[in-house]
Amino acid sequence: MTRTGPVEIDEQTQLAARLRLVVGRLHRRIRIDGRESVPPLQLSALVTVEQHGPLRLSELARREAVSAPTMSRVLTALDEQGLVIRTPDPNDARGVQIVLSEAGAARLAEVRSHRTALVARRLGRLDDEERRRIVEALPALEALLVDED
């Protein structure tokens, strides 16, 4: 077991603060510049349904950390746009499951493509050395996405 001293903790905390700030601001910039036609919670719900669907409303609300009434409103909006399909739950005659429609998959692809182009333009402003350092940092950044057991 490695022991971390006070100086190392302070440096780690400073690194964490810088990383949080730059990732948060970059994400916000992409969202603002993207001017997506789908609000953030609706977009997040679409991604969750794509990754984990079919889902019941209660499970989707839990995964999105919102109340069931809030998720119901989100699903109504997505349903009205034709981005999701409600199907009967085979395990519960009263329940429904939510799946992504073809239009929903197409909208997600469009948003991802647009956001990728925005990031690519920002990367284009960097010099070769800065881009190389980002490439080298990606495995460590991707490791931060792995949840602890």
Side-chain angles (χ1 to χ4, degrees):
M1 178 178 248
T2 306
R3 201 158 174 215
T4 306
V7 172
E8 292 168 349
I9 290 174
D10 189 49
E11 289 173 5
Q12 186 169 323
T13 300
Q14 289 175 9
L15 173 61
R18 285 183 66 195
L19 181 61
R20 177 193 50 78
L21 187 64
V22 75
V23 168
R25 285 184 175 170
L26 180 59
H27 181 258
R28 184 171 187 270
R29 219 35 283 154
I30 292 165
R31 242 188 27 246
I32 290 169
D33 293 349
R35 295 180 195 81
E36 275 99 23
S37 57
V38 182
L41 182 54
Q42 290 180 23
L43 187 61
S44 182
L46 284 176
V47 170
T48 300
V49 170
E50 177 190 52
Q51 292 175 342
H52 304 285
L55 293 171
R56 292 181 58 114
L57 181 143
S58 58
E59 175 64 12
L60 183 56
R62 186 190 66 74
R63 287 180 180 272
E64 291 296 316
V66 298
S67 69
T70 296
M71 186 51 64
S72 181
R73 287 189 295 276
V74 166
L75 287 175
T76 297
L78 293 172
D79 196 18
E80 287 171 355
Q81 297 173 70
L83 302 179
V84 295
I85 299 169
R86 297 173 192 245
T87 61
D89 185 336
N91 300 318
D92 180 356
R94 298 174 301 155
V96 296
Q97 292 183 328
I98 294 90
V99 295
L100 199 61
S101 69
E102 286 185 30
R107 182 73 58 88
L108 279 179
E110 175 186 304
V111 167
R112 287 175 174 141
S113 176
H114 187 67
R115 285 185 174 191
T116 298
L118 290 170
V119 174
R121 280 199 297 276
R122 287 179 177 271
L123 287 170
R125 299 189 318 221
L126 303 178
D127 63 35
D128 290 342
E129 176 61 20
E130 290 169 320
R131 280 192 299 275
R132 183 190 63 73
R133 290 195 314 253
I134 289 174
V135 168
E136 289 175 352
L138 281 175
L141 292 170
E142 290 165 344
L144 293 175
L145 295 174
V146 177
D147 291 331
E148 295 180 50
D149 290 334

